[in-house]
Amino acid sequence: MPDALYRGPPEDGLLIAPLDAFTAVYHRASGITHLLTEPAPQILAILQERALSLDSLLDRLERDYDLADGTREALAARLDELVEAGLVARL
Amino acid sequence: MRHAFSVRIGPIGFRIGSDWRAPIATLETLYRNYPGPRDGVADFTVRLFARRPWRRFVRPSVEIGGDYMLPEAAPLPLRQGLLAAEMAMNLQMALGVRRYLLLHASAVERDGHAVLMTGISGAGKSTLATLLAARGWRFMGDEFALLDPATGLVHAFPRLISLKNEGIAAAEAAWPAARMGPLLRATPKGDIRHMVPDARAIATMDTPATPALLVFPRYGFAAETRPVPPAEAFVRMTQASTNYVALGEAGFRGLTGLIAQVPSVAIDYPDGASAIAQVEALWSAL
Amino acid sequence: MVRVVKDARVLARALADPASIAGLDADGWTALLAMARAEQLIGTLAMRVDGLAMPAAVKAILDDAREAAEHGRRAALWEAEMARRALAAVDCPVVLLKGTAFVAAGLSAGQGRSIGDLDILVPRESIDTVEAALLAAGWEWVKPDPYDDAYYRRWMHELPPLIHRERDRMIDVHHTILPLTARITPDPVALIDDSVTLENALRTLSPNGMLIHAAAHLFADGDLAGGLRNLWDIRCLVEEFGTDGLAADAGRHGLSAQVARSLRIVDALFGAGEATGIDRLYVRRVTARDGWGRPTRPVTRLAFYIRSHWLRMPPAMLARHLWTKFRKA
C-alpha cells in the first residue's frame, strides 16, 4: 500500500491571525476557529499548496522552516490531530 | 397579546407582549425616555405568558418566550415580571443578534474611546460601569457591548442597569437621583434592582465608540493589575460572546481585530473605589 | 392597505408570491417576521423577498437571516463532508437526506433553509459497519437510556442519534424512510438504487425520491410540526423537477395517497388550489400560528399529535410506549 497523502484546505480556505505563541486559524469550510501552536500553522501552509506524504512533509518542514528537531512520530501525531480537527484530509 | 410595549435600546428594537398588565406598565415607566423600534418594526419579539389560562390568576407565574427560547427557562412569579422581561430580552440578544459581535461586557466611553469590562457574573461589571459613569464617563451598557465587525466600532446597548445585592446600595449612593425599578428580593440571582441609565446615556446611545481598553475585572481580591496575553484574551472573549460562532468569518475578523487593536488587562480589586482608580490609571497610561 | 393577520397563510403567500409583501405595514411586517422565525422559514423568506422594496429595519433583519442561513448551509455541508471522510472506507452508498441534500445539490428548496441534524440513508446490511466507522471517528451516543436504545433499534428506521464529541452536531443514520412499526413500508433498496451521485461521491435521492420522502415524513411519520417548511420543500421540488413518473414511483412505495395529498395541500397553500374535505384540516394545522409567533388551534394540534403516534405504532405498542414515557416523565 502506498503512503497516505495529506492535503490541507484550498489556498483561500483559512484566515490566519498570529496572537502570540498561539495562532488563531479560522477554517472557512467548517466555520470553526482553531488555536494552533508550532509547527501546525507551518504544516497547514505547506499542505495548502499540495498534498504530501508524511516523509515529504518532514523534508519540507526541515528545508523551509528549519524545524529539524521534530521526529517522524511526533509529526505523525500532529497530523492525526489536524486530520481529526478536519483541517487536513488523509487521501 | 393582551398587553404590549415596544422599545429600542441602542440599535436593537423589541416588542414585548404579556398576558398581564403589570410587567408592561413597569417597562413603560422605566423605558419612557427611549424611542420605539426603527420603522416601527422590532428586531425581536418577547412573550411573557401563562402556561395555562388559570395561571394568569392563580399563583400567577410568568413563562418566558419569544423568537428565541431556551426549553429549560424556569418561570418566575408575577412580582418578578420585570426581571422576566429583561431575561427574555437578553435571551433574544444572546441567541439572535447577527449584525454585531455580542460581547458580554459593560462599556463606558470618554472622548470617543471605550473601555470594555468583561467577566463572569459577580465580577462587578455593572457596578463598575455605573460608578465610572458617575465620574463623568458616558455609560454605554452594563451587559452587552455590540462590536460591528465591519467598522471595529462598539455600539451602546444601555438597557436598564441590573444591580445585584451589594451593588444596589453602591449604585444608589453614586446616583442618588436615578430612577429605580422595584426592589426584587430573593430572585434566582439574589436581590435585584433595575436602574434607569442617566439621560445622557440614553440621548447618545446611537453614537458608537472606538474600543481602547479591554478589562477583565475580578472582585474580592487585593488590588493587582496584570496584562493578559493575546491568546488568553481571545479565548476568554470567544467564551464571553454568545454569537461568536454564529457570526463565522465576521466574528473571527472582528475579535482578532479587537485583540490586536487594544491592550487587554486583568484587574483584581477589593472595592469599587480601588477599581475606579485602577481603570482610570490604565486609561491615563494609554 | 392593512390586512388582519389571522394565521400563517400570510407567510405562505409571501413565500409563493413575494410581491404580496408590498401591502404590509409595520405591524404586518412584525407579525410576518415572528411567524417566519417560529416556522423556521425566516431565511427562506429573506431569500424570496430579496431586492424588493421594504422598510430599512426589515431589510436589516432579513439580511441577518440570510447570513445566518448561509452559515447554516456551510455548517451542514461540513458535517456531510466529515461523515464522508469517516465513511470513505466503508464500501456502501451514503445518501444525504432533507436539508443537507438540498444544499449539497444546489436545489431551490435549500435556499435560505434552516438545517438541523445531518440525516443519511445507508443500506440496511451496512448499518453496523457505518455505526462502527462513525464511533471510531468521534461520534458518540446521545442517549444512554436502555429503553430508548432498544426501542430505536427494534422499531425505528434509524440508529439511535449520534452526536460528535468535538463539533456537538447530531447525525441520524437511517436504513429506511419510515419506522418499521409504520403500516406503510417503503422500499429503501429502490430509493438507494435510484439515488443520484454528487461530485464528492455522496448521493441524494432522485427528485421523485426526495418528493416521496418529504411526503412520507410529513403525513405518515410526523405530527405536522414544521409542516409549513416541509410543504415549502415539496413546492420547490415540484417546481424544479416536475412530477413525471411521480405517481407510479409513489405507488411502488405504498405512498400514493400521501404524495397526492401533499401536492393538493401545496397547491392550496402556495398555488391557486382550494383545499376541500380533510385537506382543510391539514391546512388549518400547518397554518396554526399567530402574529406573535405563538402556536394556535390547540385542539387541531393535539389531534395530529395523537395521530402521528397512532400511525407509527400498532395500538398495543402505542400504549406501552406512552406508558413508559409517562413513568419516566
Side-chain angles (χ1 to χ4, degrees):
Chain A
M1 190 174 135
D3 282 351
L5 289 181
Y6 295 88
R7 188 185 57 203
E11 205 132 322
D12 61 353
L14 299 176
L15 298 180
I16 293 168
L19 295 169
D20 37 45
F22 290 90
T23 300
V25 173
Y26 179 79
H27 182 215
R28 278 201 166 116
S30 63
I32 297 171
T33 301
H34 303 267
L35 270 191
L36 305 178
T37 53
E38 245 180 36
Q42 290 81 1
I43 293 173
L44 284 176
I46 293 170
L47 295 180
Q48 280 187 282
E49 285 171 30
R50 52 186 292 214
L52 291 175
S53 69
L54 180 56
D55 290 316
S56 322
L57 177 62
L58 198 57
D59 289 347
R60 280 289 304 273
L61 280 170
E62 286 172 8
R63 197 182 78 207
D64 295 0
Y65 296 98
D66 203 22
L67 294 169
D69 51 341
T71 64
R72 193 171 187 278
E73 289 69 39
L75 180 59
R78 299 308 302 271
L79 265 176
D80 283 346
E81 291 166 17
L82 292 172
V83 168
E84 176 155 9
L87 286 166
V88 167
R90 190 186 280 121
L91 304 181
Chain B
M1 296 187 74
R2 199 173 297 255
H3 308 281
F5 172 66
S6 291
V7 66
R8 179 164 67 80
I9 305 171
I12 311 294
F14 295 93
R15 171 177 67 150
I16 301 117
S18 169
D19 282 346
W20 303 270
R21 172 72 191 141
I24 297 298
T26 311
L27 290 168
E28 281 171 353
T29 306
L30 295 175
Y31 278 113
R32 70 174 177 229
N33 294 328
Y34 288 68
R38 290 203 172 102
D39 299 325
V41 180
D43 292 85
F44 299 114
T45 288
V46 160
R47 304 192 300 263
L48 307 177
F49 62 100
R51 175 132 314 235
R52 298 275 178 269
W54 61 86
R55 290 305 288 271
R56 279 183 53 220
F57 309 106
V58 183
R59 282 181 290 120
S61 124
V62 183
E63 301 275 346
I64 293 171
D67 290 333
Y68 297 88
M69 294 187 267
L70 285 183
E72 65 267 29
L76 291 170
L78 181 56
R79 62 179 185 81
Q80 294 175 8
L82 174 61
L83 179 61
E86 291 286 317
M87 284 170 63
M89 288 156 76
N90 286 349
L91 191 61
Q92 306 313 307
M93 295 294 290
L95 301 179
V97 167
R98 289 291 178 280
R99 233 161 294 159
Y100 305 96
L101 183 66
L102 203 66
L103 306 176
H104 190 217
S106 66
V108 292
E109 175 262 354
R110 189 173 260 178
D111 306 327
H113 294 271
V115 177
L116 308 176
M117 294 168 283
T118 183
I120 54 167
S121 191
K125 43 183 201 315
S126 290
T127 311
L128 286 185
T130 314
L131 297 181
L132 284 164
R135 293 175 50 85
W137 293 75
R138 193 233 315 180
F139 176 83
M140 294 183 76
D142 78 319
E143 181 77 4
F144 296 123
L146 311 178
L147 180 72
D148 185 340
T151 61
L153 298 178
V154 63
H155 289 253
F157 186 73
R159 58 160 208 172
L160 299 180
I161 303 164
S162 173
L163 300 165
K164 295 181 195 81
N165 302 320
E166 58 265 43
I168 299 174
E172 282 173 333
W175 289 94
R179 290 196 296 128
M180 308 290 284
L183 177 61
L184 307 174
R185 290 195 191 280
T187 76
K189 294 176 181 173
D191 291 350
I192 288 185
R193 190 155 197 189
H194 292 89
M195 183 170 109
V196 180
D198 62 290
R200 176 179 161 218
I202 300 168
T204 57
M205 71 181 184
D206 293 336
T207 310
T210 306
L213 180 63
L214 185 54
V215 179
F216 297 86
R218 199 164 61 137
Y219 170 67
F221 295 85
E224 194 190 331
T225 301
R226 70 170 179 94
V228 178
E232 183 189 336
F234 179 78
V235 171
R236 288 174 73 166
M237 292 313 288
T238 60
Q239 291 162 350
S241 170
T242 51
N243 69 354
Y244 171 76
V245 172
L247 257 66
E249 193 171 324
F252 181 86
R253 288 183 191 282
L255 192 53
T256 52
L258 176 71
I259 299 295
Q261 181 190 347
V262 310
S264 303
V265 185
I267 62 169
D268 291 354
Y269 67 97
D271 54 62
S274 308
I276 300 302
Q278 286 168 284
V279 170
E280 293 194 335
L282 288 167
W283 176 261
S284 309
L286 284 178
Chain C
M1 182 179 77
V2 177
R3 280 192 298 249
V4 181
V5 175
K6 288 204 307 251
D7 64 19
R9 259 174 270 233
V10 63
L11 172 59
R13 198 178 311 121
L15 294 174
D17 173 21
S20 70
I21 61 162
L24 291 174
D25 61 3
D27 288 347
W29 270 114
T30 308
L32 180 64
L33 294 172
M35 269 180 198
R37 280 202 177 111
E39 294 290 342
Q40 296 195 297
L41 278 163
I42 183 95
T44 309
L45 178 69
M47 297 295 288
R48 293 292 290 171
V49 301
D50 190 22
L52 298 177
M54 64 185 77
V58 174
K59 185 177 180 314
I61 291 167
L62 292 178
D63 284 349
D64 286 356
R66 247 189 334 270
E67 273 298 312
E70 172 54 25
H71 184 75
R73 187 186 73 94
R74 197 178 317 116
L77 290 176
W78 181 249
E79 280 308 297
E81 168 63 13
M82 291 309 272
R84 185 194 68 77
R85 291 182 191 179
L87 300 176
V90 181
D91 185 27
C92 82
V94 176
V95 183
L96 302 174
L97 299 174
K98 302 184 195 170
T100 309
F102 302 154
V103 294
L107 306 184
S108 64
Q111 289 184 4
R113 194 184 191 280
S114 80
I115 304 171
D117 306 339
L118 171 63
D119 291 274
I120 62 172
L121 174 69
V122 298
R124 193 166 190 191
E125 64 272 15
S126 304
I127 201 109
D128 292 336
T129 340
V130 165
E131 179 180 3
L134 290 174
L135 289 173
W139 277 270
E140 295 170 343
W141 302 120
V142 177
K143 297 182 180 179
D145 184 309
Y147 171 74
D148 275 328
D149 192 60
Y151 170 78
Y152 261 97
R153 285 174 190 274
R154 185 151 172 221
W155 298 113
M156 293 302 279
H157 49 135
E158 58 198 40
L159 289 175
L162 294 157
I163 194 160
H164 194 274
R165 63 168 175 252
E166 295 291 331
R167 296 190 305 280
D168 206 30
R169 299 269 304 200
M170 303 247 282
I171 186 169
D172 283 325
V173 182
H174 306 250
H175 53 77
T176 182
I177 59 168
L178 285 178
L180 299 178
T181 53
R183 283 155 219 173
I184 302 162
T185 48
D187 176 4
V189 177
L191 284 170
I192 293 173
D193 283 349
D194 292 347
S195 64
V196 181
T197 307
L198 299 167
E199 255 175 48
N200 60 3
L202 290 171
R203 291 158 174 266
T204 70
L205 295 175
S206 68
N208 281 350
M210 286 191 265
L211 275 165
I212 289 163
H213 181 218
H217 182 62
L218 186 62
F219 294 131
D221 179 22
D223 64 355
L224 264 71
L228 206 53
R229 193 184 65 176
N230 274 307
L231 287 158
W232 179 253
D233 289 342
I234 293 173
R235 182 261 182 206
C236 291
L237 290 167
V238 168
E239 188 159 282
E240 195 155 359
F241 296 109
T243 55
D244 277 0
L246 180 61
D249 282 354
R252 281 200 301 172
H253 295 286
L255 286 160
S256 296
Q258 286 77 6
V259 169
R261 167 161 285 151
S262 71
L263 296 181
R264 291 197 306 273
I265 292 173
V266 160
D267 193 36
L269 278 171
F270 305 117
E274 187 80 37
T276 57
I278 301 286
D279 288 358
R280 292 173 61 185
L281 253 185
Y282 285 89
V283 170
R284 272 181 62 74
R285 169 62 186 87
V286 297
T287 58
R289 186 71 67 181
D290 73 5
W292 284 87
R294 288 181 297 184
T296 54
R297 298 171 187 152
V299 176
T300 312
R301 283 176 179 269
L302 181 64
F304 276 95
Y305 177 75
I306 292 171
R307 182 181 171 280
S308 78
H309 283 280
W310 181 260
L311 279 174
R312 265 185 285 189
M313 298 177 201
M317 205 163 59
L318 174 61
R320 177 169 170 252
H321 176 70
L322 293 179
W323 170 245
T324 313
K325 284 279 175 200
F326 167 76
R327 285 200 312 173
K328 289 179 12 167

